[in-house]
Amino acid sequence: APSNKKIPNDIANWALQSGQANGFNVRVMEKPEIEQLGLYALLAVNQASPTPPRFIICEYKPENTEPLPRITMVGKGVTFDTGGLSLKPSNNMHFMKSDMGGAAAVLGTMEVIAKLQLPVHFVVIVPSTDTSIGTTAVKPSDVIQSYSGKTIEIIDTDAEGRLILSDGIAYSLKHHPADTLIDVATLTGSVIRTLGYAAAGLFTNNDQLAEELTAAGQQSGERLWRLHIWE
């Protein structure tokens, strides 16, 4: 949907409705709670926007006495990405209404897992905002805080996805430790320049996980190609 018809609160409401219909828990943090919690990277991306952010946490845990595999997915929920002060070219900017594709993917995964009642303890985290430009926008060279306690120097404001994902991942590690943690995002057009539209880029330091995800992608037609994360 276009960004004026799809704001972070719309994604949060979709999650709440799906959770009620399909039997998983949903917690939605609004801006005051986000500020109190200290999700500073998410707040930095949002600070020029007239639309407040949301931080969405979904959890599915079936009634099962056996230990369940614990999987967490973190999805990028940028409802529109101008690039901020590092402004994107205008010829393709209209596509940036799709910059919440990661959020859509992980929320869809949660709904399917709950409907199928799969034997897995599954958590989804979606930090959601848009990126706007204005007098309060974060600037290149700014140094911001983050939920992990680390500071971040902003070089390119169009790297907003990794900022909000850093808060989502840090939150998940602290509050929802998992056996497997996967983040999903429309993070960079460089992957399209690398792989075209044939596959998504896969980055992991876990060989077994890489093999399992690659096999699943091959079977489903959502192909993955592993790229290295050397220092």
Side-chain angles (χ1 to χ4, degrees):
S3 64
N4 62 330
K5 305 294 184 183
K6 176 192 75 262
I7 61 174
N9 198 50
D10 294 323
I11 296 180
N13 286 337
W14 188 95
L16 288 165
Q17 292 165 11
S18 179
Q20 189 173 23
N22 297 293
F24 59 89
N25 295 321
V26 181
R27 177 186 175 193
V28 175
M29 296 187 195
E30 298 187 4
K31 189 172 183 179
E33 190 174 1
I34 291 169
E35 291 173 330
Q36 184 178 15
L37 187 62
L39 297 165
Y40 298 117
L42 173 58
L43 290 166
V45 173
N46 177 257
Q47 67 189 34
S49 175
T51 305
R54 293 291 185 266
F55 193 77
I56 305 159
I57 304 147
C58 308
E59 183 172 17
Y60 169 76
K61 188 176 182 181
E63 295 181 4
N64 194 323
T65 57
E66 299 295 323
L68 295 171
R70 297 170 301 170
I71 300 174
T72 295
M73 296 186 78
V74 183
K76 175 184 172 183
V78 175
T79 55
F80 192 84
D81 180 23
T82 64
L85 292 180
S86 304
L87 192 65
K88 290 180 178 292
S90 61
N91 57 336
N92 286 321
M93 196 193 293
H94 59 287
F95 291 124
M96 291 301 102
K97 64 183 181 181
S98 301
D99 215 19
M100 36 60 69
V106 300
L107 288 169
T109 303
M110 171 60 82
E111 185 171 279
V112 168
I113 283 175
K115 283 182 174 179
L116 295 177
Q117 299 183 344
L118 298 183
V120 59
H121 183 182
F122 189 58
V123 173
V124 156
I125 294 173
V126 173
S128 187
T129 179
D130 64 6
T131 54
S132 298
I133 57 174
T135 57
T136 61
V138 67
K139 302 178 294 296
S141 83
D142 283 359
V143 175
I144 66 169
Q145 302 291 325
S146 69
Y147 185 74
S148 70
K150 294 183 177 182
T151 55
I152 302 169
E153 182 184 15
I154 306 299
I155 303 298
D156 184 337
T157 64
D158 195 24
E160 86 300 329
R162 63 208 70 187
L163 295 181
I164 69 170
L165 287 171
S166 73
D167 271 357
I169 290 170
Y171 181 91
S172 74
L173 292 172
K174 182 174 182 180
H175 298 280
H176 298 279
D179 304 312
T180 302
L181 173 62
I182 301 171
D183 69 276
V184 183
T186 50
L187 202 58
T188 172
S190 297
V191 168
I192 295 172
R193 289 192 289 273
T194 304
L195 300 173
Y197 293 95
L202 167 63
F203 301 82
T204 179
N205 56 8
N206 185 315
D207 292 339
Q208 181 180 349
L209 179 62
E211 291 175 5
E212 291 173 354
L213 290 173
T214 300
Q218 187 68 23
Q219 183 177 358
S220 66
E222 295 282 352
R223 294 184 178 87
L224 301 171
W225 188 266
R226 191 177 184 185
L227 297 167
H228 296 289
I229 48 174
W230 296 313
E231 290 291 338

